[in-house]
Amino acid sequence: MFLQLTPAFITFILTVLVAPILIFTLKKLKLTQPIRVELPADHQEKKGTPLMAGSVFFVGIFVALYYTTSPVMLFLAGTFVLFSFIGFLDDFWKASKQDPGGVSGKTKLIFQFAFTILLLYIGIDLFDIDTSIRVTESLNIVFPYVFYLVIITLFIVGTANAINFTDGMDGLLGMVSIPTYFFFFVISENTEVKVFCLVMIATILGFLIYNLYPAKAFMGDTGSLAIGGTLSFLAIIENVEILIPILFIIYLAEQLSVIIQVAYFKRTKKKLFRFTPIHYHYGIKYGWSENMIVTVFAMVSWAACGICLIYFEIFM
């Protein structure tokens, strides 16, 4: 356990030290967050906050790779890098052109599908991933090979984007993702997976010092898509897809709120929610502060983690 905690401790210290330098550099380069005009006044005040500060998470990746360059760690690090690259393209477009829209959704999806297919091709052999979904220790649902690959590819891309939607308030994604990484740390029997999860928790904690309200910097898609990609693949690696509706409940609620809002508006020309993703709805309609929303969402994520751990221990 001590050997697993050491990389995490080093990562936390380095993140805390490196983040201010990165934030200062982003400010100097004027790579800052543009704000959508339809957001309320309190969000407009955030214009000019450094974007792409999720780049500091690479500190954790470097520490993890220094700890071991095993195939498993290389795979997880590669997943992080590839999804972070997509986020970086989007962030750089937003910040350099001050365009909240960023890179087109089609372009991002092309990259996401391409990288997901590549990583699945590698991961199927590396982790002996089969075409079954584990329900309990004795019950597995086996799918045809091609059908499984299609569903899993859609799941990874969809989930990565759902997690990306959650990054909309100061500290929100960081606080919500820590319990999810903690779940995979607890259940995994693979030492490299455990180290990777602890390192991610450590670098997120270090970053939260500068990202909690009022945020001095935003992780941007550079960080959020990397978190989304790695958490999605961890679910596949550990074969706990059956738990995703609970474990990823916050991420799925964020994404579903957008889908439902669009569908409802097309049909009725009215809005079901005041604003989506749904974390904005609680602030605009009910007057919840950002800190309250982040706290409640984090508590829900920890509760979901606890429920999934209980199910895993009893049934899986």
Side-chain angles (χ1 to χ4, degrees):
M1 175 61 76
F2 177 75
L3 291 177
Q4 295 171 9
L5 286 174
T6 301
F9 178 75
I10 294 171
T11 296
F12 176 78
I13 298 299
L14 288 177
T15 300
V16 172
L17 295 175
V18 170
I21 301 171
L22 175 62
I23 293 169
F24 175 81
T25 304
L26 291 170
K27 278 184 178 180
K28 280 290 184 181
L29 295 174
K30 297 183 179 179
L31 295 174
T32 58
Q33 175 73 59
I35 305 296
R36 293 155 62 185
V37 294
E38 61 269 28
L39 285 174
D42 57 337
H43 286 274
Q44 298 300 327
E45 295 172 358
K46 299 180 181 184
K47 186 175 181 179
T49 303
L51 190 59
M52 297 191 292
S55 304
V56 77
F57 296 159
F58 277 92
V59 168
I61 300 302
F62 293 141
V63 172
L65 289 173
Y66 182 81
Y67 173 83
T68 175
T69 54
S70 69
V72 172
M73 189 62 78
L74 287 172
F75 178 85
L76 291 170
T79 301
F80 183 96
V81 171
L82 290 176
F83 277 85
S84 183
F85 170 74
I86 303 170
F88 173 81
L89 292 179
D90 193 42
D91 285 341
F92 188 77
W93 180 282
K94 290 177 184 175
S96 61
K97 297 183 180 298
Q98 285 298 292
D99 174 16
V103 174
S104 72
K106 182 179 179 181
T107 300
K108 288 189 288 186
L109 282 175
I110 289 172
F111 275 113
Q112 287 173 38
F113 275 107
F115 290 160
T116 297
I117 292 168
L118 171 65
L119 290 164
L120 276 175
Y121 176 78
I122 298 169
I124 284 173
D125 288 332
L126 181 60
F127 297 102
D128 294 322
I129 296 173
D130 57 25
T131 62
S132 66
I133 302 294
R134 181 171 45 156
V135 180
T136 66
E137 187 176 7
S138 58
L139 176 61
N140 290 276
I141 302 174
V142 181
F143 294 97
Y145 188 75
V146 175
F147 178 79
Y148 174 83
L149 289 180
V150 170
I151 293 301
I152 291 303
T153 300
L154 291 173
F155 159 76
I156 292 170
V157 173
T159 304
N161 280 291
I163 293 172
N164 185 42
F165 275 129
T166 310
D167 182 36
M169 285 187 172
D170 298 358
L172 180 58
L173 179 55
M175 293 289 285
V176 170
S177 62
I178 286 174
T180 319
Y181 279 115
F182 179 76
F183 170 81
F184 291 117
F185 163 74
V186 172
I187 69 165
S188 183
E189 296 179 354
N190 188 304
T191 301
E192 285 81 6
V193 170
K194 285 182 174 291
V195 170
F196 180 83
C197 290
L198 282 178
V199 162
M200 286 304 301
I201 290 172
T203 196
I204 290 170
L205 282 172
F207 176 67
L208 280 172
I209 293 174
Y210 308 97
N211 185 236
L212 288 175
Y213 183 86
K216 296 178 177 64
F218 300 139
M219 72 169 71
D221 289 4
T222 304
S224 61
L225 273 179
I227 290 173
T230 52
L231 286 177
S232 301
F233 268 98
L234 283 169
I236 306 300
I237 292 168
E238 298 298 331
N239 198 14
V240 292
E241 299 93 334
I242 194 68
L243 296 177
I244 291 307
I246 298 175
L247 185 64
F248 286 12
I249 187 170
I250 294 293
Y251 316 127
L252 297 177
E254 297 275 27
Q255 186 175 53
L256 284 173
S257 69
V258 176
I259 295 171
I260 292 170
Q261 181 88 317
V262 172
Y264 187 81
F265 185 80
K266 284 183 176 179
R267 185 171 182 178
T268 66
K269 302 303 178 184
K270 296 179 181 179
K271 291 183 178 181
L272 185 62
F273 304 107
R274 289 291 294 274
F275 203 85
T276 56
I278 200 167
H279 54 258
Y280 292 120
H281 175 76
Y282 290 100
I284 296 172
K285 184 174 178 61
Y286 300 110
W288 289 15
S289 67
E290 285 199 41
N291 283 334
M292 183 174 181
I293 294 169
V294 170
T295 300
V296 171
F297 278 39
M299 290 172 63
V300 171
S301 187
W302 276 110
C305 170
I307 292 169
C308 289
L309 284 174
I310 292 170
Y311 183 94
F312 185 89
E313 290 298 322
I314 295 175
F315 298 108
M316 303 180 78

